[in-house]
Amino acid sequence: MSSDITVVLAHGAWADGSSWGKVIDALEQTGVRAIAAPLPLTTYEDDVAALDRTLDHVGGPVVLAGHAYAGGVIGATRAPNVRALVYVAALAPDEGETIADVFGRGTPHPQAPALTPDAHGLLWLPDEAFANAFAPNATPEEQARLRALQRPISGACITVPVGRPLWKDVPTWYLLATQDRMIVADNQRFMAARMNADVRSFDVDHTPSVTAPEVVTELLLEAVRKVA
């Protein structure tokens, strides 16, 4: 596949760019350039600014994807080179909402972890949550790696009301993870419907970039083909 479009991938909470590693490899094998945007997870404003720096670095047209928390970040950019958004089991706050508002909507999964900020205001995922909720379909080795590489998220990332989201202005896709124990499927379905997103449902867990990279890659390629 030949395209001048770059796929930019924004990681969620408790992860880093390596969570997209399998997807990046698969995209590169098809001839599509991919880059992971490093988010500091310190404040919402910091994360949006970091994403914007990556988009400025890329320069050319972009299909922008976000996982989980990063859905709120990709919706906040105003970078003119973003041609489409792809939400991967991601949160999609509307104008005036916070990320915490949409994360806490509805009844949580029974195995969703309890989250309490530490003395520094950071939220860490409990060790057992990587196998129980974050990536239950991953191998034990992958779960151990995710646990070792986790990056905590500050409460300041999820309590800021967002502005007009970009999904109101550009084509948007949504990968709905029906086995998600962090953001339950009903919540994802609600967010995708009000975005009028092009929805693809798969029997995958919360972190399909690790556990089902082929379905994530195909959705990203679909977006690339549509806007190329």
Side-chain angles (χ1 to χ4, degrees):
M1 182 175 179
S2 178
S3 173
D4 64 345
I5 293 176
T6 299
V7 174
V8 174
L9 304 159
H11 62 83
W14 309 297
D16 62 11
S18 66
S19 62
W20 292 104
K22 294 180 182 180
V23 173
I24 291 170
D25 290 344
L27 289 170
E28 296 280 353
Q29 288 169 12
T30 70
V32 174
R33 181 181 182 230
I35 183 170
L39 304 184
L41 304 180
T42 46
T43 69
Y44 183 68
E45 294 82 0
D46 288 348
D47 289 342
V48 174
L51 175 62
D52 283 343
R53 288 192 293 270
T54 299
L55 295 169
D56 184 62
H57 167 71
V58 170
V62 163
V63 166
L64 177 58
H67 172 239
Y69 158 74
V73 179
I74 66 173
T77 185
R78 296 295 178 265
N81 54 333
V82 176
R83 300 290 184 266
L85 298 175
V86 179
Y87 286 72
V88 178
L91 296 166
D94 201 349
E95 186 171 5
E97 294 179 335
T98 69
I99 293 171
D101 288 336
V102 287
F103 182 64
R105 181 184 175 276
T107 303
H109 191 279
Q111 290 178 276
L115 300 172
T116 303
D118 67 11
H120 307 285
L122 299 176
L123 295 163
W124 295 81
L125 205 60
D127 285 354
E128 64 276 8
F130 288 93
N132 293 341
F134 192 77
N137 296 344
T139 66
E141 292 78 14
E142 289 169 335
Q143 292 165 355
R145 188 178 303 114
L146 289 166
R147 184 172 61 249
L149 292 171
Q150 84 151 304
R151 298 177 57 210
I153 184 170
S154 169
C157 295
I158 60 175
T159 53
V160 177
V162 306
R164 176 184 171 88
L166 186 60
W167 48 259
K168 294 189 176 183
D169 302 311
V170 301
T172 300
W173 281 260
Y174 198 102
L175 190 157
L176 197 158
T178 62
Q179 298 178 17
D180 199 324
R181 299 175 182 176
M182 297 290 293
I183 306 169
V184 293
D186 282 349
N187 195 4
Q188 294 182 43
R189 197 170 290 112
F190 164 80
M191 291 183 286
R194 73 175 180 177
M195 286 195 290
N196 198 29
D198 197 342
V199 181
R200 300 289 183 272
S201 295
F202 298 98
D203 291 330
V204 296
D205 65 13
H206 179 67
T207 314
S209 60
V210 174
T211 60
E214 65 284 351
V215 301
V216 180
T217 302
E218 185 50 46
L219 183 57
L220 291 167
L221 291 174
E222 178 182 338
V224 169
R225 287 191 291 265
K226 191 65 71 76
V227 302

